[in-house]
Amino acid sequence: MAAVVAAPAVPAESELDRSGTEEDPREAVSEEEGCPQQQAGAPSSASHNRLAKLPLARIKALMKADPDVTLASQDSVFAIAKATELFVETIAKDALVYAQQGKRKTLQRKDLDNAIDAIDEFAFLEGTLD
Amino acid sequence: MAERPEDLNLPNAVITRIIKEALPDGVNVSKEARSAISRAASVFVLYATSCANNFAMKGKRKTLNAGDVLSAMEEMEFQRFVPLLKDSLEAYKKGQKGKKEASEQKRKEKDKKTDSEDNDKSREEENEEEEERMEEEETKEGENEEEEAEN
């Protein structure tokens, strides 16, 4: 399992500063860290890319799966990527509440299910995770 | 290569990292929970995209823009994301602008030095590199996910 490196970004991006972001405890979300993933070309502008942790190429591919979507601006792909990160944080935190109720320190699948049932905003997930 | 939306998962390593950073130290996440969150994230992308696309169509536009995404967030009752997204978008757009100017600069410099033939060649090479990089990324991510699935 350890073979799976923390960052999926390819060695081609080696000029970009990785700076071991995993271990650092952080209060504010993201901002200027994390591996930039994707982004076409321009190897010199390392610092500009550090805003999204999720690979924009993958997000874009998901977006294109929708037959009604013709074109998406780069900004919109980035916005969805960023929103998805926020979503992941949100759902993890909400699920944690249920784990803590069960006096556990490990988040389990049922905690997620509970959160989805209880929280209106997650209603769109019902029935999709099986 | 992924053909169906269900096959398109976001990289497990990144999802794990986002989760860990959101939770306090000492909290663990089971593999099942992690994979469920990853799937939820994919569903979120699809749902948010569809929502945003509705706004684009309302505006009679064929191209989804960031504003559509923000409207979608409000529609989906994730309004609290909006201020954070706006800030990130600002920073991102500035970065994009800087990159664009930088690569235009590069091109101008190349034009000065070399003649047109060499220009085309180097541009082709650049493009090939970009494509290769993207392909490499995708296959590598694919491999990683296969490994994880086996585990």
Side-chain angles (χ1 to χ4, degrees):
Chain A
M1 279 287 270
V4 176
V5 162
V10 163
E13 312 265 59
S14 56
E15 307 100 326
L16 302 165
D17 181 34
R18 215 55 70 78
S19 64
T21 51
E22 290 102 70
E23 309 310 321
D24 296 345
R26 212 171 287 98
E27 296 160 37
V29 174
S30 67
E31 287 314 326
E32 304 259 1
E33 45 69 8
C35 306
Q37 326 297 350
Q38 211 252 329
Q39 282 315 325
S44 53
S45 55
S47 51
H48 299 298
N49 281 339
R50 295 214 221 120
L51 302 174
K53 295 173 185 147
L54 293 163
L56 297 190
R58 199 76 76 85
I59 300 277
K60 188 166 196 181
L62 268 166
M63 289 168 75
K64 283 189 163 176
D66 186 331
D68 294 329
V69 173
T70 357
L71 288 168
S73 73
Q74 241 184 337
D75 288 354
S76 72
V77 179
F78 172 81
I80 297 253
K82 201 71 201 158
T84 308
E85 288 173 29
L86 294 172
F87 167 77
V88 170
E89 288 171 19
T90 302
I91 200 171
K93 287 183 185 162
D94 288 339
L96 180 64
V97 170
Y98 290 96
Q100 287 170 336
Q101 274 178 14
K103 305 215 173 131
R104 279 178 282 107
K105 282 199 164 179
T106 300
L107 210 66
Q108 288 173 3
R109 170 64 198 263
K110 58 182 169 184
D111 300 319
L112 231 82
D113 291 332
N114 284 334
I116 292 172
D117 284 339
I119 299 169
D120 288 339
E121 288 93 328
F122 298 148
F124 71 92
L125 291 168
E126 276 169 29
T128 61
L129 297 187
D130 304 309
Chain B
M1 286 293 162
E3 281 156 20
R4 302 170 300 160
E6 302 90 80
D7 292 339
L8 281 167
N9 275 324
L10 301 165
N12 282 328
V14 181
I15 296 285
T16 302
R17 197 183 340 144
I18 299 175
I19 296 174
K20 291 229 156 133
E21 287 173 5
L23 302 176
D25 287 337
V27 172
N28 293 319
V29 185
S30 77
K31 207 164 60 156
E32 291 78 21
R34 242 188 296 148
S35 117
I37 292 182
S38 181
R39 256 170 296 145
S42 298
V43 175
F44 176 85
V45 172
L46 295 170
Y47 182 44
T49 299
S50 170
C51 226
N53 199 43
N54 285 338
F55 285 101
M57 292 197 290
K58 262 191 234 175
K60 302 202 178 150
R61 280 174 284 106
K62 288 194 177 166
T63 306
L64 256 183
N65 62 32
D68 297 326
V69 177
L70 294 176
S71 304
M73 291 301 118
E74 305 221 1
E75 177 92 353
M76 292 163 68
E77 298 191 49
F78 287 113
Q79 304 91 329
R80 62 205 141 112
F81 289 359
V82 174
L84 286 157
L85 286 176
K86 281 187 178 168
D87 286 344
S88 298
L89 271 163
E90 282 295 315
Y92 177 74
K93 281 192 266 197
K94 280 190 194 149
Q96 291 298 94
K97 198 177 166 196
K99 255 202 302 175
K100 217 178 181 182
E101 287 169 4
S103 56
E104 275 180 29
Q105 271 260 319
K106 265 169 80 177
R107 213 154 273 175
K108 278 181 195 166
E109 282 166 18
K110 271 185 185 161
D111 285 343
K112 279 183 205 164
K113 288 178 191 169
T114 62
D115 30 274
S116 49
E117 272 185 355
D118 287 339
N119 247 355
D120 291 337
K121 206 182 178 187
S122 54
R123 235 171 267 160
E124 266 183 71
E125 283 173 355
E126 264 185 65
N127 288 340
E128 277 171 21
E129 273 178 26
E130 287 174 23
E131 283 175 29
E132 274 177 70
R133 225 176 279 155
M134 278 178 66
E135 279 174 6
E136 273 181 32
E137 270 189 60
E138 307 225 355
T139 46
K140 216 181 190 179
E141 287 170 8
E143 284 171 10
N144 286 347
E145 285 172 30
E146 277 176 357
E147 281 181 35
E148 292 235 24
E150 282 171 9
N151 288 339

